[in-house]
Amino acid sequence: MPPSNTTALITGATAGIGHEYAVQLAARGHDLVLVARDGARLDQVAEELRRAHQVEVEVLVADLVDRAALARVEARLADQDRPVDLLVNNAGFGLKKRFLDNTADEETEMLEVLVTAVLRLSHAALGAMAARGHGGIINVSSVAAFLPRGSYSAAKAWVNSFSEWAHMEYGPRGVKVMALCPGFTKTEFHQRMEVKRGDGFMWLDVEFLVRTSLEDFDKGRAYSIPGAQYKAVRALTAVIPNRVLRLTQSMGRR
């Protein structure tokens, strides 16, 4: 259990993986800073967590596509008087249609959340954490990062590469960085994409996903790939040619 005054900042904290991180980290005794676009939902989640776990919960309403709003979150991470000990870069979304069926603005907006926000928030957090000599970052990536599945996969591949480098670069300075690579998970993510959510063996329970990722983070791992089925997928991507893997790009879009 961490000291009662350790603080975790979570983006996309009102639903899905981000909400589950908030629940499990609060149960571990972390105070929280919750970031999302919906202020009313943020307040509701914050109050529920305060009552259930007796932790301090701060809310920041921010659309990470908005550079001014993103800057407010950066400033919170960089504040040495109110240190954030763990950053969970979770906010994100996917696009149902293929690249040329989306507008360039839609693609750019996704990139702003999946890459630019992760870069800028990590920069702010790493500066403060490295100066203190301790801290951690969990970047929520995807198993899609290992597959040729368009701009979403390309963005998540960037998250993986960046996280692995930061893990090696800042580990000696006391900062742990890990990429979480979920497969299909039972959350609102696919509903927001307006695609059908499955319920078979390839679909992970969000509680298991987050619990496993925190165990991997505690062990200092650079990657967390919860579920034996997705560890197998990762292994197969190393030996199957990309021209064959490209046939998977319709999965999760129907």
Side-chain angles (χ1 to χ4, degrees):
M1 294 288 288
S4 60
N5 62 343
T6 52
T7 299
L9 186 149
I10 306 164
T11 66
T14 57
I17 293 173
H19 179 264
E20 186 62 27
Y21 267 115
V23 169
Q24 293 196 28
L25 288 170
R28 284 179 165 216
H30 286 274
D31 292 333
L32 302 172
V33 182
L34 306 182
V35 180
R37 295 179 298 175
D38 187 334
R41 196 168 180 182
L42 268 176
D43 289 337
Q44 178 184 346
V45 170
E47 185 55 34
E48 290 170 355
L49 292 171
R50 292 184 191 111
R51 288 200 308 265
H53 301 288
Q54 292 76 54
V55 295
E56 296 294 325
V57 185
E58 176 185 347
V59 299
L60 278 177
V61 180
D63 183 344
L64 301 184
V65 175
D66 182 333
R67 195 58 61 86
L70 181 59
R72 292 196 297 273
V73 186
E74 293 174 58
R76 180 64 184 85
L77 287 163
D79 188 346
Q80 292 286 28
D81 294 328
R82 297 182 299 158
V84 171
D85 304 280
L86 174 64
L87 165 63
V88 181
N89 273 316
N90 164 76
F93 64 93
L95 297 172
K96 179 179 180 179
K97 295 180 286 188
R98 295 192 179 188
F99 184 69
L100 289 180
D101 296 322
N102 300 314
T103 67
D105 286 343
E106 288 171 331
E107 290 284 343
T108 300
E109 184 174 291
M110 185 177 70
L111 197 69
E112 287 285 333
V113 176
L114 299 187
V115 174
T116 302
V118 171
L119 184 152
R120 295 188 67 93
L121 297 183
S122 295
H123 189 277
L126 283 168
M129 293 172 181
R132 292 195 301 269
H134 66 87
I137 298 174
I138 298 174
N139 290 324
V140 178
S141 182
S142 173
V143 168
F146 306 113
L147 299 164
R149 287 172 57 88
S151 54
Y152 181 84
S153 291
K156 292 303 188 180
W158 181 91
V159 172
N160 279 8
S161 179
F162 173 77
S163 301
E164 185 174 0
W165 163 81
H167 171 86
M168 295 184 290
E169 181 79 5
Y170 294 102
R173 298 179 66 176
V175 184
K176 296 193 293 185
V177 182
M178 185 185 80
L180 165 63
C181 298
F184 295 135
T185 305
K186 299 173 188 176
T187 68
E188 297 176 14
F189 181 87
H190 287 82
Q191 291 168 293
R192 292 200 303 268
M193 285 178 64
E194 299 181 351
V195 300
K196 183 179 179 181
R197 194 184 83 180
D199 199 34
F201 80 101
M202 293 300 288
W203 288 81
L204 300 175
D205 181 80
V206 69
E207 186 278 333
F208 163 80
L209 177 83
V210 171
R211 173 169 45 82
T212 302
S213 76
L214 289 173
E215 291 169 356
D216 288 339
F217 182 76
D218 290 341
K219 294 172 183 175
R221 292 177 174 165
Y223 285 94
S224 177
I225 306 177
Q229 63 273 56
Y230 287 108
K231 288 181 173 63
V233 168
R234 172 64 187 109
L236 288 171
T237 63
V239 296
I240 297 176
N242 275 351
R243 66 180 180 274
V244 176
L245 293 173
R246 186 174 60 83
L247 300 175
T248 68
Q249 64 181 305
S250 295
M251 294 176 63
R253 283 191 169 130
R254 297 175 181 172

